[in-house]
Amino acid sequence: MELRMTNVTKTFRDVNAVEHVSKTLESGVYGLLGVNGAGKTTLMRMLCTLIRPTGGTITWDGNDIFALGGEYRKMLGYLPQDFGFYPDFTVQDYLYYIAAIKGLRPTTARQRTDRLLEQVGLSKERNQKMKKLSGGMKRRVGIAQAMLNDPRILILDEPTAGLDPGERIRFRNLLSELAQDRIVLLSTHIVSDVEYIANEILLMKDGRIVLSGTSEELTAALLESVWICTAPSEQVGAYLQNYKVANVKTLQGNAQLRIVSPEPPAKDAAADIPTLEDVFLYYFGEKAGEEDVSL
Amino acid sequence: MFRYEIKKVFARTGGKVALLLLALALAAGCWMAADTYYVNENGDKEYGAAAAHRLRALQKEWSGTLDEEKLRLAIGEITALAATPQAQSQDVKENNIAFGRGQATYGIRGLLNDAFAVDFQTNDYYRAEHLTPAMAGDFYANRIRLLREWLTDERGNAYYRYSDAEKAYLLRQYETLETPFSYDYTNGWTRLFEWYPWIAMSTVMILGYLVCGIFSGEYQFRADAVFFASRYGRDKAVAAKVQAGLVIVTAVYWAMVGLYSAYVLAYYGADGISCPVQAASSYWKCLYHITIGQMYVLVVTGGYIGCLFISGLVMFLSASCRSAVAAVMTPFVLIFLRSFLEMTDSNVIEKAMGLCPDLLLQMNRTLCLFNLYEPGGKVIGAVPILFALYGALTALLVPTVYKAYRKGRDS
Ligand SMILES: Nc1ncnc2c1ncn2[C@@H]1O[C@H](COP(=O)(O)OP(=O)(O)OP(=O)(O)O)[C@@H](O)[C@H]1O
Ligand SMILES: [Mg+2]
């Protein structure tokens, strides 16, 4: 079980969406982290045989995935970022239809549908029309359809977008439960989605995978590079300009800053334990998406 | 898969609206075809199925071989009636009474008007009233004579339009029609044919709308990524779509034609099925030797091929353009193509016009056109070419739709 990308490149007219990506995925959960436009979706669409790379190859156990065709797609589960469905189908009909085009036998389709609807907490909505579902519920149907064929390769493009915090935790747990013996690749802006469940985190920037490793490996690289210091409120602006500031907390006229920097930003700065958020900030120069932005 | 493709089409509001429109088109077609009246002894009009039945009973009396004897009798009756005070009267009511008495010979009167017209392209409703029974013997010969005069008249357009071989072909067709032929009341069929193009054209336009969504819908709903990434997304699931399209076209078309035919024939009666089409005045000039029953078969199979071809083209466009707009427009463009082409005056375009696909949807009219072609030096009419051409194109379209769609979008 080995999905190998060699020098994979995709160019859209003048944009290099993905550039020379080489990476081998084996059983486990991979978190693909990157800012908007980093090329995550493009890479995933290639892995799903939806678009062909302009350069390089993608192989499954040594065979080109485009040549394998249906044999490869048989093992594939895909949740697109822009997940669309048939609005007038009920949840059940939708899943039965996807099961059919995935080549599942009707009895298997029924069993899988029952089980997955339970797992994503939509058993009650099975006879609802898809268009009547809330955004998060649609996403959950999307996750269910990706899992229908019990895929060896599960590709989820921002699966947690639109899920409420409770659902997000449920999803995380569901995924760790399902991750055994398959390749799971999920993209996200949200660090906490992958922090605990991903065996390996791939940081993608401008079409390239700039860094990869376990959460511990990535954070270890920033040991002695994350600092907490306190400064008067009027100096916060200067800090924001000169440093990568992960967090600002105001405390009675003073501000407590969390700063990622190889050198201590101030004499009284104390080193703190780096988190994946800090890594994200360090490499992308901007903050990762936050799961509770809207709360 | 197939079942869900069908379900996708009809689960949408648009699908349900289309079914409703089909029902309305069918009802309108039936209503228009059933619009008839019968004038009773008092000169009053009666309407509805009962009127149709009384008319049928009257006209049936003249059924049988249309030989010289019968024609003489008919001319006698028509001229005698024309001489009655009612017919001569200035009073509309009286005229109506006379018209009522003439209803029995109405069909034969039409044929007499055709046969004894002053020239091939003129039709005078009163011509039959000025005939004498002695002229009955010229009835069939006149059909050929008028054609010959038309073809050899240097002042007319036919003289230049047709080659010598084509003229010879037309005359041969006319000369080889078996006469005297049998005549019958054929209102059921002629009215059915008259409004059939309405049924076929409205059906194909609505079908175009129904089938294009099968392909463009995936993109419209952004469901294409999951579709094409599935195991059968590039083969069997695409085939199921093509199959669903063909089944919908077939089922809808035959349901429309079947219901329409059943209604109109039940209303008027299906008499005259084995008469040659020339026994009905509307088809007197038809150059093909076919019976009314054979004409029905040509009309409905021609319509089916036309529907399949146009819907196939719609499917192809919606599969390759991934949008419904161009596809939905296709039936309109194809149906009105000839009206646009008519504005030009070129021989090549005129030949092309004779092969436009809308002609398949109105075989009843097409069978009366003198569109001739000379492939390999042999003159043939447009009808067999239309069947062969669009049959072949449709057969080609089916795998093309499949190939166009399975490619997906690689950008
Ligand atoms: N079909 C396309 N045609 C042209 N350019 C494209 C196309 N798809 C993507 N791109 C470009 O490729 C780059 C990578 O896009 P991609 O969607 O892969 O990013 P992403 O990492 O998924 O971003 P996001 O987090 O916003 O989903 C972007 O610059 C984008 O504009
Ligand atoms: Mg994306």
Side-chain angles (χ1 to χ4, degrees):
Chain A
M1 191 156 87
E2 180 195 81
L3 185 60
R4 184 190 293 266
M5 294 166 256
T6 317
N7 256 322
V8 174
T9 299
K10 179 74 192 181
T11 312
F12 295 110
R13 284 194 196 92
D14 46 349
V15 189
N16 288 335
V18 172
E19 277 186 273
H20 303 292
V21 167
S22 293
K23 181 78 202 164
T24 303
L25 308 182
E26 284 164 341
S27 165
V29 178
Y30 296 83
L32 191 57
L33 268 176
V35 293
N36 291 140
K40 306 181 292 294
T41 298
T42 307
L43 183 65
M44 290 180 147
R45 286 175 67 81
M46 287 191 282
L47 291 173
C48 292
T49 70
L50 291 171
I51 50 175
R52 281 178 185 270
T54 36
T57 53
I58 306 171
T59 58
W60 170 257
D61 287 343
N63 300 305
D64 186 90
I65 61 167
F66 291 92
L68 284 172
E71 281 306 300
Y72 171 75
R73 293 193 304 271
K74 187 169 85 178
M75 301 177 292
L76 187 68
Y78 175 44
L79 172 65
Q81 177 174 10
D82 185 17
F83 169 62
F85 46 83
Y86 315 103
D88 292 297
F89 268 23
T90 61
V91 173
Q92 171 174 303
D93 274 343
Y94 174 72
L95 291 175
Y96 285 175
Y97 172 67
I98 300 298
I101 63 175
K102 285 188 174 206
L104 267 62
R105 271 193 291 271
T107 42
T108 324
R110 249 172 277 136
Q111 287 163 2
R112 294 287 303 162
T113 302
D114 290 348
R115 174 141 174 71
L116 282 164
L117 281 176
E118 210 170 289
Q119 283 177 315
V120 299
L122 286 176
S123 297
K124 273 198 304 239
E125 281 80 10
R126 71 184 299 152
N127 290 318
Q128 284 257 345
K129 283 204 172 184
M130 291 287 288
K131 62 181 174 192
K132 299 251 169 79
L133 300 181
S134 76
M137 288 173 172
K138 286 171 189 160
R139 204 93 208 138
R140 276 139 72 187
V141 177
I143 294 165
Q145 68 75 23
M147 308 267 203
L148 269 173
N149 53 331
D150 197 10
R152 315 270 316 264
I153 308 158
L154 184 58
I155 296 182
L156 306 170
D157 201 349
E158 303 199 12
T160 56
L163 296 189
D164 62 41
E167 257 328 303
R168 185 169 277 144
I169 292 165
R170 271 179 63 141
F171 167 74
R172 243 180 262 159
N173 295 340
L174 176 64
L175 202 66
S176 347
E177 196 182 306
L178 291 165
Q180 264 136 43
D181 212 29
R182 69 179 104 221
I183 295 172
V184 181
L185 177 63
L186 67 129
S187 76
T188 181
H189 308 127
I190 297 153
V191 173
S192 61
D193 275 348
V194 290
E195 193 156 18
Y196 305 107
I197 54 163
N199 306 94
E200 190 171 342
I201 290 162
L202 314 175
L203 287 188
M204 196 165 184
K205 188 179 182 182
D206 298 333
R208 293 171 186 271
I209 293 179
V210 290
L211 192 69
S212 65
T214 62
S215 178
E216 292 76 27
E217 282 165 2
L218 296 187
T219 50
L222 285 194
L223 275 177
E224 299 294 316
S225 297
V226 178
W227 311 92
I228 306 261
C229 64
T230 318
S233 296
E234 53 274 20
Q235 288 180 20
V236 170
Y239 274 105
L240 285 174
Q241 242 176 18
N242 300 324
Y243 292 99
K244 290 175 173 167
V245 179
N247 203 7
V248 184
K249 208 191 279 175
T250 317
L251 301 158
Q252 300 149 352
N254 281 334
Q256 195 189 60
L257 298 141
R258 181 181 182 84
I259 289 172
V260 185
S261 156
E263 304 296 324
K267 276 203 207 85
D268 63 341
D272 197 15
I273 300 165
T275 65
L276 210 48
E277 303 256 2
D278 302 322
V279 175
F280 197 97
L281 176 68
Y282 184 75
Y283 283 99
F284 296 116
E286 55 183 272
K287 287 173 74 175
E290 280 167 53
E291 61 175 279
D292 46 4
V293 191
S294 57
L295 295 175
Chain B
M1 276 179 274
F2 168 75
R3 199 166 67 84
Y4 289 106
E5 288 301 341
I6 303 275
K7 203 164 180 172
K8 273 189 219 168
V9 173
F10 294 106
R12 304 170 68 169
T13 317
K16 292 182 186 120
V17 170
L19 283 183
L20 185 71
L21 287 177
L22 281 169
L24 287 177
L26 177 64
C30 289
W31 184 73
M32 289 183 290
D35 181 26
T36 190
Y37 62 85
Y38 166 80
V39 177
N40 64 20
E41 311 76 49
N42 308 319
D44 296 325
K45 281 185 181 176
E46 293 175 12
Y47 299 92
H53 280 124
R54 300 186 74 167
L55 199 60
R56 173 173 177 269
L58 267 184
Q59 298 192 347
K60 272 305 259 190
E61 286 171 21
W62 288 87
S63 67
T65 306
L66 194 60
D67 52 13
E68 207 177 318
E69 174 64 23
K70 183 164 280 175
L71 286 162
R72 204 174 313 148
L73 282 172
I75 294 171
E77 183 147 332
I78 292 164
T79 48
L81 183 65
T84 58
Q86 283 86 357
Q88 302 279 335
S89 165
Q90 298 295 316
D91 182 36
V92 178
K93 184 90 179 163
E94 295 290 298
N95 289 163
N96 284 345
I97 292 172
F99 178 87
R101 289 185 198 151
Q103 287 174 116
T105 48
Y106 194 77
I108 295 178
R109 177 189 183 123
L111 294 173
L112 288 168
N113 290 338
D114 290 320
F116 293 95
V118 283
D119 63 53
F120 192 67
Q121 289 188 295
T122 308
N123 192 298
D124 173 10
Y125 175 77
Y126 297 100
R127 184 73 188 106
E129 295 178 4
H130 304 291
L131 302 176
T132 61
M135 294 160 88
D138 297 334
F139 179 75
Y140 291 110
N142 266 0
R143 181 168 175 271
I144 303 164
R145 178 178 61 79
L146 286 172
L147 174 73
R148 181 176 291 118
E149 285 172 8
W150 182 60
L151 291 175
T152 52
D153 178 6
E154 286 182 38
R155 291 161 304 165
N157 54 12
Y159 182 81
Y160 299 101
R161 185 176 163 194
Y162 300 106
S163 70
D164 288 343
E166 287 172 338
K167 287 175 189 162
Y169 169 83
L170 287 173
L171 279 166
R172 197 165 56 246
Q173 287 299 104
Y174 266 47
E175 282 159 3
T176 48
L177 179 70
E178 258 183 62
T179 56
F181 51 61
S182 81
Y183 168 83
D184 202 343
Y185 160 86
T186 51
N187 279 12
W189 298 103
T190 52
R191 297 309 297 274
L192 188 156
F193 294 148
E194 189 181 344
W195 288 98
Y196 169 84
W198 158 264
I199 294 287
M201 288 180 190
S202 49
T203 302
V204 81
M205 289 192 203
I206 300 169
L207 273 177
Y209 170 75
L210 275 178
V211 297
C212 85
I214 299 177
F215 298 91
S216 58
E218 302 293 332
Y219 293 101
Q220 184 197 335
F221 298 133
R222 305 183 326 279
D224 54 306
V226 171
F227 180 87
F228 288 117
S230 73
R231 177 181 185 181
Y232 291 137
R234 305 262 182 193
D235 39 65
K236 282 191 194 169
V238 179
K241 281 181 178 293
V242 179
Q243 196 193 350
L246 296 178
V247 168
I248 288 174
V249 172
T250 304
V252 167
Y253 174 79
W254 289 110
M256 290 290 281
V257 167
L259 290 170
Y260 171 71
S261 305
Y263 178 81
V264 178
L265 293 179
Y267 193 90
Y268 288 105
D271 312 68
I273 189 165
S274 54
C275 291
V277 293
Q278 288 80 3
S281 176
S282 324
Y283 306 111
W284 166 254
K285 290 179 192 169
C286 177
L287 64 92
Y288 301 95
H289 297 173
I290 46 174
T291 63
I292 296 261
Q294 286 164 339
M295 184 168 195
Y296 178 74
V297 173
L298 287 176
V299 164
V300 296
T301 51
Y304 180 52
I305 293 175
C307 266
L308 272 181
F309 171 74
I310 294 174
S311 312
L313 206 56
V314 167
M315 291 198 266
F316 172 71
L317 288 174
S318 72
S320 48
C321 305
R322 304 190 288 266
S323 126
V325 186
V328 171
M329 295 298 295
T330 308
F332 293 89
V333 174
L334 288 184
I335 285 173
F336 296 109
L337 188 61
R338 278 188 318 128
S339 324
F340 298 130
L341 291 180
E342 239 153 37
M343 289 182 251
T344 62
D345 186 27
S346 127
N347 212 12
V348 180
I349 290 190
E350 192 177 295
K351 286 282 177 198
M353 263 167 55
L355 296 176
C356 282
D358 65 305
L359 290 168
L360 282 166
L361 303 177
Q362 40 182 334
M363 260 306 154
N364 55 319
R365 293 177 197 150
T366 309
L367 284 162
C368 296
L369 297 176
F370 284 12
N371 288 330
L372 301 177
Y373 297 86
E374 290 187 67
K378 193 175 175 297
V379 181
I380 47 171
V383 171
I385 300 183
L386 282 167
F387 274 86
L389 177 67
Y390 287 101
L393 285 177
T394 307
L396 273 177
L397 261 177
V398 174
T400 313
V401 174
Y402 175 81
K403 281 189 202 135
Y405 194 67
R406 71 193 296 253
K407 268 196 267 172
R409 94 172 112 195
D410 185 14
S411 66

